[in-house]
Amino acid sequence: MIPLSVLDLSVVTTGTKPAAALRNSIDLARHVDGLGYVRYWLAEHHNLASVASPAPDVMIGQIAAVTKHIRVGSGGVMLPNHAPLVVAERFKMLEALFPGRIDLGLGRAPGTDGATAYALRSRLDRREGDDFLERLHELILWETREFPSGHPYNNVVAMPDDTRLPPIWLLGSSDYSSELAAQVGMGFAFAHHFASHDAIDAMVHYRNRFQPSAWRATPHAILAVAVIAAETDEDAERLATSFDLNRLRRDHGQYLPLPSVEEALAYPYTDAERISISRNRSRLFVGNPATVQTKLQPLIDASKPDELMVITAVYDHDARKKSYSLLAEAFGPAKAA
């Protein structure tokens, strides 16, 4: 049985305001901690009406403080938005407070629109183009202290200096991060729930090309998937209508809070929109636990992840908790962990 983890966006709905969505994340983390889930990651998104979590490091501390066993991390920190020293300091602090339970997942996308990305980065030492590699290298140097002789950063220490950075994971939705994670010997997480790139290709590529490093001796690949589970296929399909309408609106550039099932069922879909919804369902696994397991198994068998990270976005918070409970029964994470 494959270990299960959680990716949480702190989803805002038309009936749940952002502050309540953040509190729901804490409640869900407590819930899955008791179910045997091995990891709970928080995303970084900005200026999205449907996502309440722009600061995963803040949420990590809150969730780690109210859970006992589960690892808590970022899925991820969008590194181009931050000075590497700031990231190093905050995650060393988290590791000092919750030793052995923190993960540092890193992404290279902005996690937002162009104007917001500029607002986030305008006061940083911004380079032209994609500077993710440069920032990742600097972050690593804050840990290894291998700055060149005479470099001014040799006189700067990332505190607390008696604590190592937690494990670093590279996040991706293409072959870029799988190649990089393999080269530098770090963990890798693939975002199947929104990627257009083939998950099997990325996961196999990472495992085949992995080079052992000071960070990891062996590869560890996480497959992030979108799942909605309920007691029956019919109940799960009903819950999924909120996701369908929300995704359709996003395709039209409308980033709105997650609608209710009632609103989704009443929406006057065109034939073209129904085709679009059907196409988007290739990234969503819906049904009762047995149905979900049957749908997921071919992908698991082909991509061979070490861990399955589940994102469940439904309108009702109790239904979301129930979905994770049903998956725990089906996949048995407590036994697998």
Side-chain angles (χ1 to χ4, degrees):
M1 301 301 248
I2 188 168
L4 297 182
S5 295
V6 176
L7 175 61
D8 183 17
L9 303 184
S10 301
V11 175
V12 180
T13 76
T14 53
T16 307
K17 300 300 182 184
L22 294 173
R23 291 192 290 271
N24 282 346
S25 289
I26 294 174
D27 181 60
L28 178 62
R30 286 196 186 100
H31 179 66
V32 298
D33 189 35
L35 294 174
Y37 281 72
V38 299
R39 214 178 300 274
Y40 196 104
W41 281 5
L42 291 306
E44 176 189 339
H45 287 286
H46 304 272
N47 195 34
L48 287 179
S50 59
V51 180
S53 177
D57 53 325
V58 175
M59 288 299 293
I60 289 168
Q62 294 295 311
I63 286 174
V66 299
T67 53
K68 296 180 179 179
H69 309 291
I70 200 166
R71 295 188 67 93
V72 192
S74 54
V77 167
M78 299 296 105
L79 188 55
N81 296 340
H82 309 279
L85 175 58
V86 172
V87 175
E89 289 178 330
R90 290 177 180 176
F91 277 82
K92 283 163 71 73
M93 282 185 65
L94 288 167
E95 180 66 20
L97 293 168
F98 308 101
R101 292 185 56 208
I102 304 300
D103 293 323
L104 173 52
L106 299 173
R108 59 189 279 256
T112 188
D113 58 275
T116 308
Y118 181 82
L120 287 164
R121 306 175 189 182
S122 62
R123 300 299 179 182
L124 297 177
D125 180 15
R126 190 177 182 219
R127 281 76 162 176
E128 292 298 324
D130 186 349
D131 62 351
F132 177 77
L133 276 177
E134 185 177 350
R135 290 177 183 273
L136 176 62
H137 187 210
E138 183 182 324
L139 176 64
I140 292 170
L141 289 174
W142 286 116
E143 176 67 22
T144 63
R145 304 301 307 167
E146 294 175 348
F147 290 107
S149 177
H151 196 286
Y153 289 175
N154 279 319
N155 297 320
V156 181
V157 176
M159 295 294 288
D161 63 353
D162 62 343
T163 302
R164 290 181 55 84
L165 275 176
I168 296 178
W169 301 77
L170 299 187
L171 283 53
S173 57
S174 68
D175 58 348
Y176 176 92
S177 291
S178 67
E179 175 70 29
L180 180 59
Q183 286 182 2
V184 298
M186 294 178 176
F188 174 59
F190 185 80
H192 173 274
H193 56 292
F194 67 80
S196 58
H197 188 81
D198 180 53
I200 298 169
D201 175 74
M203 300 284 278
V204 172
H205 184 93
Y206 164 72
R207 190 174 300 280
N208 288 344
R209 302 200 178 191
F210 182 85
Q211 300 178 25
S213 71
W215 300 96
R216 294 198 66 88
T218 58
H220 192 109
I222 297 175
L223 181 64
V225 293
V227 178
I228 296 176
E231 293 283 1
T232 67
D233 288 347
E234 293 75 17
D235 288 343
E237 288 291 341
R238 180 178 172 83
L239 291 173
T241 58
S242 293
F243 174 95
D244 291 337
L245 179 55
N246 186 254
R247 182 55 191 259
L248 182 66
R249 286 171 168 170
R250 288 182 65 135
D251 289 345
H252 293 324
Q254 302 172 10
Y255 294 87
L256 303 175
L258 191 72
S260 67
V261 169
E262 291 73 21
E263 181 181 352
L265 291 174
Y267 185 88
Y269 297 98
T270 66
D271 290 342
E273 287 174 333
R274 292 187 185 281
I275 292 173
S276 179
I277 287 173
S278 178
R279 185 169 57 249
N280 287 333
R281 278 298 188 94
S282 65
R283 300 190 187 95
L284 177 65
F285 300 88
V286 181
N288 68 47
T291 298
V292 168
Q293 196 168 25
T294 298
K295 290 179 177 179
L296 272 171
Q297 200 60 50
L299 179 61
I300 293 172
D301 291 341
S303 62
K304 295 179 172 56
D306 298 287
E307 195 174 317
L308 204 62
M309 182 167 279
V310 178
I311 175 171
T312 298
V314 295
Y315 182 82
D316 182 76
H317 179 60
D318 288 335
R320 182 164 68 140
K321 291 170 66 176
K322 181 65 173 179
S323 180
Y324 282 108
S325 295
L326 292 171
L327 288 178
E329 294 173 10
F331 284 90
K335 295 187 287 292

